[in-house]
């Protein structure tokens, strides 16, 4: 592949699974996310993701972003931003930073609403 393809099945270091569909005509990203970890005691189920990417034009290593609202098992939302990279054998990796905002009781509590981290996704064989 000359271009780093976002579509397909991915996994990260937390054991999360992600399926992405990239749409060229409107540069939309859609898909599903199954987190390998949660801070709730509620049971985890797959949720939808929505985003956009810098494709498909001349970009070889597109940047992208997507949002996951953890509907039904947590009142929180995560935004991922990142870029698709390829190694010399054409193997793709998604390097991302995420921001998670958890619902808090009042604005004065919002100091404790945010968590931030990084995730690296590799293709699930
Ligand atoms: O547990 C959740 C919802 C699931 C978040 C999974 C995160 S998203 C960034 C990172 N990458 C992944 O693949 N998985 C993790 N939300 C939540 C629940 C409770 C609290 N809390 O503070 O109690 C905060 C957030």
């Amino acid at each position: 592949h000359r271009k780093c393809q976002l579509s397909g099945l991915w996994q990260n270091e937390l054991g999360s699974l992600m399926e992405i569909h990239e749409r060229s005509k409107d540069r939309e990203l859609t898909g599903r996310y199954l987190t390998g970890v949660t801070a709730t005691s509620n049971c985890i189920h797959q949720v939808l993701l929505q985003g956009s990417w810098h494709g498909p034009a001349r970009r070889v290593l597109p940047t992208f972003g997507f949002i996951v609202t953890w509907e039904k098992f947590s009142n929180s939302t995560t935004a991922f931003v990142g870029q698709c990279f390829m190694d010399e054998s054409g193997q793709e990796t998604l390097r991302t930073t995420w921001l998670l905002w958890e619902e808090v009781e009042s604005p004065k509590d919002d100091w404790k609403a945010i968590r931030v981290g990084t995730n690296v996704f590799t293709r699930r064989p």
Side-chain angles (χ1 to χ4, degrees):
H1 292 276
R2 207 177 66 76
K3 280 194 264 188
C4 201
Q5 308 279 338
L6 294 173
S7 290
L9 198 51
W10 300 91
Q11 61 191 13
N12 71 18
E13 65 273 47
L14 297 172
S16 302
L17 296 179
M18 169 170 72
E19 182 191 6
I20 294 184
H21 310 283
E22 57 187 29
R23 253 198 338 239
S24 297
K25 67 179 173 55
D26 56 10
R27 295 183 305 109
E28 290 254 318
L29 290 180
T30 59
R32 296 181 287 176
Y33 203 98
L34 181 63
T35 180
V37 294
T38 176
T40 67
S41 48
N42 303 339
C43 66
I44 294 170
H45 52 256
Q46 71 178 17
V47 293
L48 299 178
L49 69 88
Q50 288 206 295
S52 62
W53 61 301
H54 244 285
R58 320 158 295 290
R59 311 278 171 191
V60 176
L61 303 176
T63 59
F64 59 88
F66 59 86
I67 305 272
V68 184
T69 53
W70 306 100
E71 71 254 9
K72 292 205 274 303
F73 73 89
S74 165
N75 294 329
S76 60
T77 298
T78 302
F80 288 81
V81 287
Q83 186 178 358
C84 187
F85 291 100
M86 265 191 295
D87 64 20
E88 52 288 339
S89 66
Q91 198 56 39
E92 297 115 329
T93 302
L94 308 180
R95 300 187 67 79
T96 70
T97 295
W98 52 263
L99 274 180
L100 184 153
W101 186 296
E102 189 233 340
E103 180 191 282
V104 291
E105 298 311 310
S106 83
K108 69 175 176 29
D109 294 334
D110 74 356
W111 61 272
K112 63 181 175 181
I114 290 208
R115 290 173 166 80
V116 64
T118 60
N119 277 146
V120 177
F121 294 83
T122 50
R123 281 205 186 276
R124 187 165 165 77

